[in-house]
Amino acid sequence: MQQFKIKILILIFTLFYSSIFAQVVLDDQLVPIEEEDYHNLKTPYHTTLTFFLNLREDNYDPKAAAMALNLGPEREKEGEKLAVKLKQIFDGNGVFIKFLEVPNEPDFFDSVFSNQAKFFYDTKKLPLVYLEKINNEWKFSAFTVSQIDEMHRVTYPYGTDRLLNILPKMGNEVYIGLHFWQLAGLFLLILLLFVAHKLITFLLDKVFLYLVAKMGYGYVGEKYLLPVARITSIYLIVVLSSLFIRLLQLPVEVVSMVIKVLNAAKPLVITIVFYKIVDIVSLYFAKLAEKTESTLDDQLVPLLRKTLKAFVVIVGTLFVLKEGLEVDIVPFLTGLSIGGLAFALAAQDTIKNFFGSIMIFIDKPFQVGDWITSGDVDGTVEEVGFRSTRVRTFRNSVMYIPNGKIADATIDNHGLRQYRRFYTTLTITYDTPPDLIEAFVEGLRKIVENHPNTRKDLYNIYFNSLSTYSQDIMFYIFFQVPTWQEELRCRHEILVQIIRLAKGLGVRFAFPTQTVHMESFPEKRTLIPEYPDDAAFYTSKLQDFLVKEMGKKDN
């Protein structure tokens, strides 16, 4: 907090004494300079003094400053004008010149950037501006001079350079360290930003929402599109600020700091815009996922949203560091690539699970809601994540299976069955006569054929076996239903129909028992039921059942 206060005091001090220091900082303290030191071109240091000190307000001599330009005969008349423009380019880009860091050697040789007798002030902000040695004199190169007009247009675009000549005419009186025209320019800039904010807010809240609602997207517009539009409006205000703050010709320390903040704000706002756009893209894909039968893509949408947002944040942070704060991120990226190898070795299982999740989403061996079996896993898939899959078991517990493991395992997906098999054995007593068995089997087939959810082209119902205590009828059918709950309902309906058929025909089901048969006595009735020997009797009974039960169902 104390450091912050000191910086504020320094900023106020700089503004107040801007008329003394102008746009150049010689050192941390004032150093007296002889006049001959800023009227010669012997070294890069003296050329820099000649150019900048002769353009200060208290020592304004553009003709002397133009000596530092390699003009050539064809542009000699434009020397003073070009010198002023070049100074404005330095000021508008916030290039902070420290004289004591400029080489004071007549035979200086640049071994870092060019390997020539050249000196660059700022290779990032002004890569086209440099001094070169010409006939024992250091001057701004002919190439730099040829680019002054273009660099000036880039620094002050959209005709804003004309305001550089209009604003100073408003008055040069000094108040709190600033000229009257600078204070008026600050007021106009604040007023412009305020009006722009109010206008954009009105257009967004009234006009934009009205048009979006008229097209039938009122909810989407208010919840998703409007936040993006509002943040985009902030970006426009930042751009306006960066355009007009250069025109005020504030002290270079202030301009440098403000431009750095605005340059950081631009990628930051863009990052927020794309962060919000991810929600719109996710909403679009969610609508597409709702139209598909698969539920796996429904699970993929939130994962895609989280991944895109993480990507936007990472890329946006890099741009804020590089473009805004001017941090060299190349060493960081290099270290990241080297450290990435160590990280990959330490996180093999995590990476394996990540690629396993990718294979699950590509191959789609199951989807959310499917009943799967794989080794000890037996349950319904609830969620598929980037690292693990969550399965709800039939004990109502939850199992988390790493995707790397489940991607390599053999999976029995019961949810992908086209038909659901139902197989059971109907056991009837040994005293059931053959004609009754035939009628019972025929009735079972009719039940299957008349049920709306059974497969009609493939079923097997036969008198199949003679076991120890019963005569066995194989009942092997398929249901055409999407879920296990539907399958249970169909089983229930079929079994109830079988019980009713058996009761109607008089068929008794057998169960594991031991029966002691005793001779019948005249006065005692035997426990063995008496069955008619007439097959037509059983056929009649079956017809009565079909008319009664199947007719009831049809109605």
Side-chain angles (χ1 to χ4, degrees):
M1 187 64 184
Q2 187 67 22
Q3 293 180 350
F4 178 74
K5 291 181 178 179
I6 293 174
K7 291 181 179 179
I8 294 296
L9 291 175
I10 292 174
L11 178 60
I12 296 173
F13 178 81
T14 303
L15 285 171
F16 185 76
Y17 290 101
S18 60
S19 60
I20 298 176
F21 287 97
Q23 301 294 319
V24 179
V25 173
L26 297 179
D27 201 346
D28 294 334
Q29 57 185 352
L30 288 174
V31 177
I33 302 173
E34 298 293 335
E35 185 175 351
E36 63 179 16
D37 288 335
Y38 56 90
H39 284 82
N40 74 80
L41 310 173
K42 294 185 299 184
T43 67
Y45 171 77
H46 289 90
T47 300
T48 304
L49 283 177
T50 300
F51 179 75
F52 284 100
L53 293 191
N54 284 296
L55 290 176
R56 280 174 44 159
E57 292 184 27
D58 57 348
N59 187 50
Y60 190 70
D61 187 359
K63 185 176 181 179
M67 293 169 48
L69 305 181
N70 185 12
L71 296 170
E74 65 281 357
R75 305 199 70 178
E76 191 170 351
K77 295 181 180 180
E78 304 178 71
E80 296 182 22
K81 182 180 178 182
L82 291 174
V84 172
K85 279 190 173 182
L86 182 57
K87 177 65 163 50
Q88 291 172 348
I89 291 171
F90 274 91
D91 295 342
N93 285 280
V95 177
F96 193 73
I97 303 298
K98 291 185 177 180
F99 277 23
L100 295 184
E101 295 181 0
V102 180
N104 192 8
E105 304 169 11
D107 298 323
F108 172 75
F109 185 82
D110 179 20
S111 59
V112 178
F113 300 107
S114 63
N115 289 323
Q116 297 178 16
K118 297 180 179 180
F119 173 71
F120 290 82
Y121 290 96
D122 194 321
T123 55
K124 293 181 179 179
K125 294 180 179 179
L126 296 177
L128 304 181
V129 178
Y130 59 90
L131 303 177
E132 63 180 359
K133 190 175 183 180
I134 304 170
N135 297 328
N136 296 323
E137 290 185 334
W138 286 85
K139 293 185 177 183
F140 286 97
S141 67
F143 176 76
T144 297
V145 173
S146 68
Q147 298 296 315
I148 287 177
D149 290 331
E150 180 62 27
M151 288 188 293
H152 197 268
R153 280 193 294 269
V154 173
T155 306
Y156 304 96
Y158 310 113
T160 53
D161 57 321
R162 299 176 184 175
L163 296 175
L164 289 172
N165 300 321
I166 296 175
L167 287 174
K169 295 178 181 179
M170 300 176 65
N172 287 318
E173 298 84 359
V174 177
Y175 302 95
I176 62 171
L178 294 176
H179 293 290
F180 175 77
W181 68 267
Q182 291 176 317
L183 294 173
L186 278 174
F187 174 76
L188 292 175
L189 177 59
I190 295 173
L191 179 63
L192 174 64
L193 296 179
F194 177 77
V195 172
H197 172 70
K198 289 297 182 180
L199 178 61
I200 293 173
T201 302
F202 173 78
L203 292 176
L204 292 178
D205 290 345
K206 303 298 181 181
V207 180
F208 178 74
L209 275 184
Y210 172 76
L211 294 176
V212 172
K214 194 171 182 180
M215 291 186 292
Y217 298 98
Y219 173 77
V220 176
E222 184 174 359
K223 186 173 182 179
Y224 295 99
L225 298 180
L226 186 59
V228 174
R230 284 176 175 170
I231 297 177
T232 305
S233 68
I234 296 176
Y235 179 79
L236 296 177
I237 292 175
V238 171
V239 171
L240 287 175
S241 301
S242 63
L243 283 177
F244 290 101
I245 196 67
R246 306 169 190 266
L247 302 175
L248 302 179
Q249 297 292 289
L250 298 174
V252 68
E253 304 94 325
V254 178
V255 176
S256 177
M257 182 183 66
V258 172
I259 290 179
K260 183 175 290 188
V261 171
L262 293 175
N263 287 341
K266 289 178 184 178
L268 177 62
V269 173
I270 292 176
T271 301
I272 297 174
V273 168
F274 277 95
Y275 190 87
K276 296 290 185 181
I277 289 177
V278 169
D279 290 329
I280 301 176
V281 174
S282 301
L283 178 64
Y284 173 75
F285 282 112
K287 295 296 183 182
L288 292 180
E290 290 177 359
K291 298 178 181 179
T292 62
E293 296 182 359
S294 173
T295 56
L296 191 60
D297 49 8
D298 297 333
Q299 190 68 36
L300 180 61
V301 170
L303 295 177
L304 179 64
R305 181 175 64 251
K306 294 177 183 178
T307 303
L308 289 177
K309 284 189 174 183
F311 177 76
V312 168
V313 169
I314 292 173
V315 174
T317 302
L318 293 178
F319 270 96
V320 170
L321 293 174
K322 183 178 183 299
E323 302 296 335
L325 304 179
E326 300 177 2
V327 176
D328 188 7
I329 63 173
V330 175
F332 170 74
L333 295 177
T334 304
L336 187 64
S337 61
I338 297 174
L341 179 61
F343 176 79
L345 293 175
Q348 294 183 65
D349 292 338
T350 301
I351 296 175
K352 181 181 179 182
N353 292 330
F354 173 75
F355 282 103
S357 64
I358 293 177
M359 295 309 299
I360 290 174
F361 285 116
I362 293 176
D363 293 340
K364 296 182 179 179
F366 52 80
Q367 59 184 351
V368 176
D370 283 351
W371 169 23
I372 64 171
T373 301
S374 178
D376 297 333
V377 180
D378 187 20
T380 304
V381 178
E382 282 195 346
E383 182 181 354
V384 181
F386 272 149
R387 181 190 174 277
S388 61
T389 296
R390 188 172 69 189
V391 177
R392 176 77 61 178
T393 68
F394 296 108
R395 303 183 302 274
N396 202 34
S397 62
V398 178
M399 298 182 70
Y400 290 87
I401 307 99
N403 288 335
K405 179 180 179 181
I406 202 170
D408 295 335
T410 301
I411 300 173
D412 184 6
N413 190 342
H414 306 285
L416 291 181
R417 293 177 296 177
Q418 292 181 334
Y419 302 99
R420 296 173 180 264
R421 188 186 69 166
F422 175 41
Y423 173 65
T424 187
T425 300
L426 303 177
T427 58
I428 59 178
T429 58
Y430 263 105
D431 53 24
T432 307
D435 292 333
L436 181 54
I437 294 176
E438 289 285 358
F440 185 56
V441 170
E442 182 64 23
L444 295 175
R445 292 171 181 168
K446 293 294 183 181
I447 290 174
V448 174
E449 292 173 358
N450 283 276
H451 194 278
N453 299 116
T454 54
R455 186 177 180 181
K456 309 300 189 295
D457 58 336
L458 180 62
Y459 61 86
N460 294 290
I461 301 175
Y462 294 101
F463 180 23
N464 188 49
S465 177
L466 295 173
S467 61
T468 305
Y469 59 88
S470 64
Q471 302 179 94
D472 299 336
I473 298 174
M474 180 179 68
F475 191 79
Y476 187 91
I477 65 173
F478 294 91
F479 295 116
Q480 191 172 359
V481 290
T483 63
W484 188 49
Q485 288 78 7
E486 290 292 311
E487 178 185 354
L488 293 177
R489 178 185 61 79
C490 293
R491 286 191 183 191
H492 170 84
E493 294 173 354
I494 290 290
L495 291 174
V496 168
Q497 291 290 336
I498 292 174
I499 298 297
R500 289 175 177 171
L501 174 64
K503 184 176 180 181
L505 295 179
V507 173
R508 295 191 304 162
F509 293 106
F511 47 90
T513 56
Q514 288 185 348
T515 303
V516 178
H517 289 277
M518 301 179 64
E519 290 186 0
S520 299
F521 296 95
E523 66 279 5
K524 299 290 186 179
R525 296 186 59 184
T526 179
L527 296 176
I528 301 175
E530 297 180 358
Y531 294 99
D533 294 331
D534 186 6
F537 173 79
Y538 302 114
T539 303
S540 175
K541 284 279 189 182
L542 176 59
Q543 290 299 325
D544 292 341
F545 171 80
L546 295 176
V547 170
K548 181 180 178 181
E549 295 297 330
M550 301 303 163
K552 179 194 302 181
K553 189 170 184 180
D554 292 340
N555 293 334

